[in-house]
Amino acid sequence: GAVVSQHPSWVICKSGTSVKIECRSLDFQATTMFWYRQFPKQSLMLMATSNEGSKATYEQGVEKDKFLINHASLTLSTLTVTSAHPEDSSFYICSASHLRGGNQPQHFGDGTRLSIL
Amino acid sequence: GQNIDQPTEMTATEGAIVQINCTYQTSGFNGLFWYQQHAGEAPTFLSYNVLDGLEEKGRFSSFLSRSKGYSYLLLKELQMKDSASYLCAVRDSNYQLIWGAGTKLIIKP
């Protein structure tokens, strides 16, 4: 089945540090990749949608200058949390789908737990 | 606005059957997905419905009625490992996935 690899799985760093999270589709070409954030006991919150070779579409309230998304190839998207602060601590999850529509589900990476001290 | 409703929490007994309902109001419809999410883990895909009717996959089945804006996930022969959150998501006319808040399912022995 479709496999999405997300790395790193856990990050602990000091306030002000920038953190890069990678999301790779291992056995399929991901036309679209999605980045979510989830706080404890809350539902998934879509942050942005990225299509290969074009700029990401950010959801309302998500700062595009703080959460930099790059989708340079059909198998790799990265999310960089710039100058992270404690309030950015969360569970970040990427997902990828093969086609923009149809019956293709989103396949999720294992998530990255980010803790900013 | 777009809205997905599902119960916040349900409790069931090991070996029993449970039905988790989902109602939706979205701008267009291009399919409904069910995902399972264990605590601290990412969601995993369970099922997809785009036409009315029942889709069966082992112990799990999912039903869709587009005219009623309604779906349910049916879990049979419940096992302790089925304790998780179950997320209903609808793909709208822009192919954007609209997520429900999830139903936390607690299985008791």
Side-chain angles (χ1 to χ4, degrees), chain A:
Chain A
V3 178
V4 175
S5 172
Q6 186 172 341
H7 177 80
S9 56
W10 198 292
V11 179
I12 301 175
C13 57
K14 294 180 180 179
S15 184
T17 307
S18 291
V19 178
K20 180 186 275 190
I21 303 170
E22 289 189 352
C23 181
R24 294 181 184 271
S25 56
L26 297 184
D27 55 356
F28 68 102
Q29 293 185 325
T31 311
T32 309
M33 286 186 169
F34 306 86
W35 287 96
Y36 293 86
R37 182 167 53 182
Q38 188 174 35
F39 293 104
K41 298 184 180 181
Q42 294 188 22
S43 62
L44 291 171
M45 291 173 47
L46 180 64
M47 299 175 67
T49 302
S50 72
N51 295 303
E52 183 266 339
S54 62
K55 289 184 179 180
T57 302
Y58 289 80
E59 295 300 301
Q60 195 171 7
V62 178
E63 300 174 58
K64 57 184 68 178
D65 293 332
K66 180 167 186 65
F67 299 99
L68 302 178
I69 292 172
N70 184 279
H71 192 166
S73 76
L74 282 171
T75 59
L76 174 64
S77 176
T78 60
L79 167 68
T80 301
V81 184
T82 61
S83 187
H85 292 285
E87 59 265 29
D88 298 322
S89 298
S90 187
F91 189 42
Y92 292 86
I93 315 172
C94 75
S95 71
S97 64
H98 176 45
L99 296 172
R100 297 191 187 197
N103 65 347
Q104 299 300 313
Q106 291 182 23
H107 297 281
F108 287 84
D110 289 335
T112 297
R113 199 162 300 281
L114 177 62
S115 295
I116 309 297
L117 305 176

Side-chain angles (χ1 to χ4, degrees), chain B residues 6-19:
Chain B
Q6 47 181 135
T8 304
E9 187 174 295
M10 299 182 70
T11 302
T13 305
E14 189 177 16
I17 299 174
V18 71
Q19 177 175 311

Side-chain angles (χ1 to χ4, degrees), chain B residues 26-37:
Chain B
T26 56
S27 302
F29 178 83
N30 279 298
L32 184 144
F33 299 83
W34 283 97
Y35 285 82
Q36 180 191 61
Q37 185 177 25

Side-chain angles (χ1 to χ4, degrees), chain B residues 2 5-6 9 11 18 20-22 28-30 41 43-45 58 63 67 70-71 82-83 97 107-108:
Chain B
Q2 310 208 86
D5 284 317
Q6 47 181 135
E9 187 174 295
T11 302
V18 71
I20 303 174
N21 295 325
C22 171
F29 178 83
N30 279 298
E41 298 181 12
T44 55
F45 169 70
F63 171 83
S67 62
Y70 167 71
S71 172
D82 297 329
S83 292
L97 210 55
I107 309 297
K108 294 185 175 180

